[in-house]
Amino acid sequence: MTSRHFLSLLDFSSDELLALITNAIDVKQRLKQGVLHTPLQGKVLAMIFEKSSTRTRVSFEAGMSQLGGHSMFLSDRDIHLGRGEPIEDSARVISSMVDGIIIRTFGHERVLALAAHSSAPVINGLSDLLHPCQLLADMQTWFELRGSIEGATVAWIGDGNNMCHSYINAAIRFGFNLNIGCPQNHAPDSSIIDSARGRVKIFHTAAEAARHAHLLVTDVWASMGQEQEQDERLKIFSEFQVSAELMALADADALFMHCLPAHRGEEVTASVLDGEQSVVWQEAENRLHAQKALLEALLG
Ligand code: CP
Ligand code: NVA
């Protein structure tokens, strides 16, 4: 199948990602000015969700409508995928009827299998391995507030999870340095670190990672699918909370991001999440604008 997919940030070149962010900023301005922009009239996006979602679902649905297209929400409880119909068969059938598919699932191999058998573009709306759409919004937010991120230092604090992996990919494509502060046994995938060729440094204290950083980012300590590890993880990650004290080690103008949903009092204190350096609401809103730019690029 020859469709262009967005399964990882690395599926797009640096230039393509920069153009996408520029377009996302335009798309946002146009929407705020009330200018109609409907290049996806007649197009349909199927949205397969095997995990919960607020932001991803709402932003893709709203975005498709605003672009003049239509979206359909397919929970695995409602389609045969959840009853064991193979993902490959589902991909063939669904893609024969729609113009694009977004999938949120567990193992990344399901995203790859869907894409391999889909005749329409596939977007990764989060897998256990990666969350590339979130990075489009995070980068848009940085560009709006600070301009280029090339050469800046970003500190990832907490779990070496799907978001952390996508931050490593973003470091490669956008040219920033990434300090990761994580517990010993919760570092990101070593092959993903190796692919970053020196852009990534791993620390086992939050303070070492945060020092002089321009952006601090964290995420939940137990991702979707890890709920049964919640209590154990609260203990393992207790020294990796983003607090005012940790923010004070970073650059004086440092920003704070979190993909949300957040747990105040766990991975981040309420004072940081709701404080002046936090840009999480703009970051969340930008999911809409960045993904509209992505939809236009893939389905337009
Ligand atoms: N950040 C994010 O992907 O949020 P949802 O899980 O609500 O989609
Ligand atoms: N790491 C989190 C991100 C949620 C948007 C998870 O996978 O649950």
mmCIF file of all heavy atoms in Angstrom, residues 7-9 124 129-135 161-171 176 178 192:
data_model
loop_
_atom_site.group_PDB
_atom_site.id
_atom_site.type_symbol
_atom_site.label_atom_id
_atom_site.label_comp_id
_atom_site.label_asym_id
_atom_site.label_seq_id
_atom_site.Cartn_x
_atom_site.Cartn_y
_atom_site.Cartn_z
ATOM 1 N N LEU A 7 3.023 7.678 11.693
ATOM 2 C CA LEU A 7 3.044 6.718 12.802
ATOM 3 C C LEU A 7 4.055 7.149 13.851
ATOM 4 O O LEU A 7 3.964 6.782 15.012
ATOM 5 C CB LEU A 7 3.399 5.322 12.286
ATOM 6 C CG LEU A 7 2.629 4.856 11.031
ATOM 7 C CD1 LEU A 7 3.013 3.432 10.680
ATOM 8 C CD2 LEU A 7 1.122 4.991 11.234
ATOM 9 N N SER A 8 5.018 7.951 13.410
ATOM 10 C CA SER A 8 6.106 8.437 14.253
ATOM 11 C C SER A 8 6.489 9.806 13.708
ATOM 12 O O SER A 8 6.322 10.063 12.517
ATOM 13 C CB SER A 8 7.297 7.482 14.121
ATOM 14 O OG SER A 8 8.505 8.131 14.434
ATOM 15 N N LEU A 9 7.062 10.662 14.554
ATOM 16 C CA LEU A 9 7.552 11.961 14.050
ATOM 17 C C LEU A 9 8.589 11.739 12.954
ATOM 18 O O LEU A 9 8.743 12.558 12.053
ATOM 19 C CB LEU A 9 8.232 12.737 15.172
ATOM 20 C CG LEU A 9 7.410 13.590 16.136
ATOM 21 C CD1 LEU A 9 8.372 14.336 17.040
ATOM 22 C CD2 LEU A 9 6.485 14.562 15.428
ATOM 23 N N ASN A 124 -1.009 7.736 13.959
ATOM 24 C CA ASN A 124 -0.877 7.131 15.290
ATOM 25 C C ASN A 124 -1.399 8.117 16.336
ATOM 26 O O ASN A 124 -0.774 9.137 16.607
ATOM 27 C CB ASN A 124 0.605 6.801 15.540
ATOM 28 C CG ASN A 124 0.847 6.219 16.920
ATOM 29 O OD1 ASN A 124 -0.092 5.985 17.686
ATOM 30 N ND2 ASN A 124 2.110 5.986 17.233
ATOM 31 N N LEU A 129 4.245 2.779 22.510
ATOM 32 C CA LEU A 129 5.612 3.202 22.166
ATOM 33 C C LEU A 129 5.741 4.700 21.898
ATOM 34 O O LEU A 129 6.750 5.312 22.273
ATOM 35 C CB LEU A 129 6.074 2.439 20.914
ATOM 36 C CG LEU A 129 7.544 2.583 20.561
ATOM 37 C CD1 LEU A 129 8.421 1.814 21.547
ATOM 38 C CD2 LEU A 129 7.820 2.099 19.139
ATOM 39 N N LEU A 130 4.754 5.287 21.212
ATOM 40 C CA LEU A 130 4.900 6.661 20.709
ATOM 41 C C LEU A 130 3.599 7.453 20.805
ATOM 42 O O LEU A 130 2.509 6.878 20.759
ATOM 43 C CB LEU A 130 5.321 6.632 19.228
ATOM 44 C CG LEU A 130 6.659 5.980 18.869
ATOM 45 C CD1 LEU A 130 6.787 5.842 17.354
ATOM 46 C CD2 LEU A 130 7.829 6.762 19.450
ATOM 47 N N HIS A 131 3.739 8.777 20.883
ATOM 48 C CA HIS A 131 2.570 9.673 20.829
ATOM 49 C C HIS A 131 2.942 10.895 19.979
ATOM 50 O O HIS A 131 3.081 12.007 20.487
ATOM 51 C CB HIS A 131 2.173 10.083 22.250
ATOM 52 C CG HIS A 131 0.825 10.738 22.344
ATOM 53 N ND1 HIS A 131 -0.040 10.822 21.277
ATOM 54 C CD2 HIS A 131 0.197 11.347 23.392
ATOM 55 C CE1 HIS A 131 -1.146 11.451 21.673
ATOM 56 N NE2 HIS A 131 -1.020 11.775 22.943
ATOM 57 N N PRO A 132 3.117 10.684 18.671
ATOM 58 C CA PRO A 132 3.665 11.767 17.833
ATOM 59 C C PRO A 132 2.746 12.984 17.705
ATOM 60 O O PRO A 132 3.250 14.115 17.585
ATOM 61 C CB PRO A 132 3.881 11.088 16.481
ATOM 62 C CG PRO A 132 2.959 9.914 16.465
ATOM 63 C CD PRO A 132 2.892 9.443 17.892
ATOM 64 N N CYS A 133 1.422 12.795 17.708
ATOM 65 C CA CYS A 133 0.519 13.949 17.547
ATOM 66 C C CYS A 133 0.719 14.959 18.671
ATOM 67 O O CYS A 133 0.642 16.170 18.455
ATOM 68 C CB CYS A 133 -0.942 13.489 17.534
ATOM 69 S SG CYS A 133 -1.354 12.574 16.038
ATOM 70 N N GLN A 134 0.973 14.449 19.879
ATOM 71 C CA GLN A 134 1.172 15.363 21.010
ATOM 72 C C GLN A 134 2.388 16.265 20.784
ATOM 73 O O GLN A 134 2.395 17.426 21.162
ATOM 74 C CB GLN A 134 1.349 14.558 22.299
ATOM 75 C CG GLN A 134 1.505 15.432 23.545
ATOM 76 C CD GLN A 134 0.243 16.199 23.890
ATOM 77 O OE1 GLN A 134 -0.828 15.617 23.946
ATOM 78 N NE2 GLN A 134 0.366 17.502 24.123
ATOM 79 N N LEU A 135 3.413 15.704 20.148
ATOM 80 C CA LEU A 135 4.626 16.491 19.917
ATOM 81 C C LEU A 135 4.403 17.611 18.928
ATOM 82 O O LEU A 135 5.042 18.662 19.014
ATOM 83 C CB LEU A 135 5.760 15.568 19.466
ATOM 84 C CG LEU A 135 6.704 15.151 20.582
ATOM 85 C CD1 LEU A 135 7.498 16.346 21.110
ATOM 86 C CD2 LEU A 135 5.982 14.492 21.745
ATOM 87 N N ASN A 161 8.510 6.759 28.790
ATOM 88 C CA ASN A 161 7.329 6.143 28.164
ATOM 89 C C ASN A 161 7.120 6.615 26.717
ATOM 90 O O ASN A 161 8.028 7.175 26.083
ATOM 91 C CB ASN A 161 6.095 6.431 29.037
ATOM 92 C CG ASN A 161 5.775 7.917 29.126
ATOM 93 O OD1 ASN A 161 6.339 8.726 28.385
ATOM 94 N ND2 ASN A 161 4.868 8.276 30.008
ATOM 95 N N ASN A 162 5.905 6.401 26.210
ATOM 96 C CA ASN A 162 5.576 6.782 24.834
ATOM 97 C C ASN A 162 5.840 8.269 24.557
ATOM 98 O O ASN A 162 6.367 8.633 23.505
ATOM 99 C CB ASN A 162 4.114 6.404 24.500
ATOM 100 C CG ASN A 162 3.105 6.786 25.581
ATOM 101 O OD1 ASN A 162 3.439 7.466 26.557
ATOM 102 N ND2 ASN A 162 1.859 6.332 25.412
ATOM 103 N N MET A 163 5.464 9.127 25.504
ATOM 104 C CA MET A 163 5.704 10.571 25.322
ATOM 105 C C MET A 163 7.202 10.856 25.302
ATOM 106 O O MET A 163 7.680 11.655 24.488
ATOM 107 C CB MET A 163 5.028 11.358 26.455
ATOM 108 C CG MET A 163 3.572 11.679 26.231
ATOM 109 S SD MET A 163 3.355 12.783 24.813
ATOM 110 C CE MET A 163 4.353 14.186 25.286
ATOM 111 N N CYS A 164 7.923 10.213 26.213
ATOM 112 C CA CYS A 164 9.375 10.415 26.268
ATOM 113 C C CYS A 164 10.019 9.973 24.949
ATOM 114 O O CYS A 164 10.886 10.670 24.403
ATOM 115 C CB CYS A 164 9.930 9.624 27.448
ATOM 116 S SG CYS A 164 11.701 9.767 27.621
ATOM 117 N N HIS A 165 9.581 8.839 24.419
ATOM 118 C CA HIS A 165 10.125 8.373 23.131
ATOM 119 C C HIS A 165 9.858 9.393 22.022
ATOM 120 O O HIS A 165 10.715 9.645 21.166
ATOM 121 C CB HIS A 165 9.486 7.027 22.741
ATOM 122 C CG HIS A 165 9.889 5.902 23.644
ATOM 123 N ND1 HIS A 165 9.104 4.799 23.859
ATOM 124 C CD2 HIS A 165 11.009 5.711 24.397
ATOM 125 C CE1 HIS A 165 9.720 3.972 24.688
ATOM 126 N NE2 HIS A 165 10.873 4.505 25.033
ATOM 127 N N SER A 166 8.660 9.971 22.033
ATOM 128 C CA SER A 166 8.374 10.955 20.982
ATOM 129 C C SER A 166 9.173 12.237 21.205
ATOM 130 O O SER A 166 9.523 12.922 20.240
ATOM 131 C CB SER A 166 6.863 11.232 20.912
ATOM 132 O OG SER A 166 6.239 10.136 20.248
ATOM 133 N N TYR A 167 9.496 12.559 22.476
ATOM 134 C CA TYR A 167 10.397 13.696 22.717
ATOM 135 C C TYR A 167 11.795 13.414 22.150
ATOM 136 O O TYR A 167 12.460 14.316 21.629
ATOM 137 C CB TYR A 167 10.439 14.081 24.208
ATOM 138 C CG TYR A 167 9.565 15.304 24.451
ATOM 139 C CD1 TYR A 167 8.239 15.170 24.819
ATOM 140 C CD2 TYR A 167 10.054 16.583 24.225
ATOM 141 C CE1 TYR A 167 7.424 16.285 24.977
ATOM 142 C CE2 TYR A 167 9.245 17.703 24.378
ATOM 143 C CZ TYR A 167 7.941 17.549 24.751
ATOM 144 O OH TYR A 167 7.148 18.657 24.881
ATOM 145 N N ILE A 168 12.249 12.170 22.258
ATOM 146 C CA ILE A 168 13.565 11.837 21.684
ATOM 147 C C ILE A 168 13.514 12.038 20.161
ATOM 148 O O ILE A 168 14.418 12.653 19.571
ATOM 149 C CB ILE A 168 13.965 10.383 22.034
ATOM 150 C CG1 ILE A 168 14.102 10.219 23.548
ATOM 151 C CG2 ILE A 168 15.270 10.003 21.317
ATOM 152 C CD1 ILE A 168 14.376 8.784 24.008
ATOM 153 N N ASN A 169 12.431 11.575 19.541
ATOM 154 C CA ASN A 169 12.297 11.774 18.088
ATOM 155 C C ASN A 169 12.228 13.266 17.738
ATOM 156 O O ASN A 169 12.788 13.698 16.729
ATOM 157 C CB ASN A 169 11.040 11.057 17.578
ATOM 158 C CG ASN A 169 11.201 9.546 17.579
ATOM 159 O OD1 ASN A 169 12.327 9.044 17.638
ATOM 160 N ND2 ASN A 169 10.101 8.819 17.523
ATOM 161 N N ALA A 170 11.571 14.032 18.596
ATOM 162 C CA ALA A 170 11.484 15.480 18.351
ATOM 163 C C ALA A 170 12.864 16.132 18.485
ATOM 164 O O ALA A 170 13.205 17.044 17.721
ATOM 165 C CB ALA A 170 10.492 16.121 19.320
ATOM 166 N N ALA A 171 13.667 15.648 19.451
ATOM 167 C CA ALA A 171 15.028 16.193 19.614
ATOM 168 C C ALA A 171 15.814 15.995 18.320
ATOM 169 O O ALA A 171 16.566 16.871 17.878
ATOM 170 C CB ALA A 171 15.725 15.513 20.787
ATOM 171 N N PHE A 176 16.977 19.911 19.269
ATOM 172 C CA PHE A 176 17.222 20.350 20.652
ATOM 173 C C PHE A 176 17.921 19.240 21.435
ATOM 174 O O PHE A 176 18.017 18.098 20.973
ATOM 175 C CB PHE A 176 15.933 20.822 21.347
ATOM 176 C CG PHE A 176 14.796 19.830 21.442
ATOM 177 C CD1 PHE A 176 14.783 18.842 22.421
ATOM 178 C CD2 PHE A 176 13.707 19.909 20.569
ATOM 179 C CE1 PHE A 176 13.721 17.949 22.524
ATOM 180 C CE2 PHE A 176 12.636 19.022 20.665
ATOM 181 C CZ PHE A 176 12.656 18.034 21.648
ATOM 182 N N LEU A 178 18.080 16.918 24.831
ATOM 183 C CA LEU A 178 17.075 16.374 25.742
ATOM 184 C C LEU A 178 17.756 15.713 26.935
ATOM 185 O O LEU A 178 18.518 14.762 26.773
ATOM 186 C CB LEU A 178 16.217 15.354 24.982
ATOM 187 C CG LEU A 178 15.048 14.734 25.745
ATOM 188 C CD1 LEU A 178 14.029 15.790 26.153
ATOM 189 C CD2 LEU A 178 14.364 13.657 24.884
ATOM 190 N N ILE A 192 15.886 3.561 20.842
ATOM 191 C CA ILE A 192 15.408 4.918 20.503
ATOM 192 C C ILE A 192 16.435 5.951 20.983
ATOM 193 O O ILE A 192 16.750 6.909 20.283
ATOM 194 C CB ILE A 192 14.001 5.169 21.090
ATOM 195 C CG1 ILE A 192 12.995 4.172 20.477
ATOM 196 C CG2 ILE A 192 13.549 6.618 20.848
ATOM 197 C CD1 ILE A 192 11.548 4.351 20.886
#
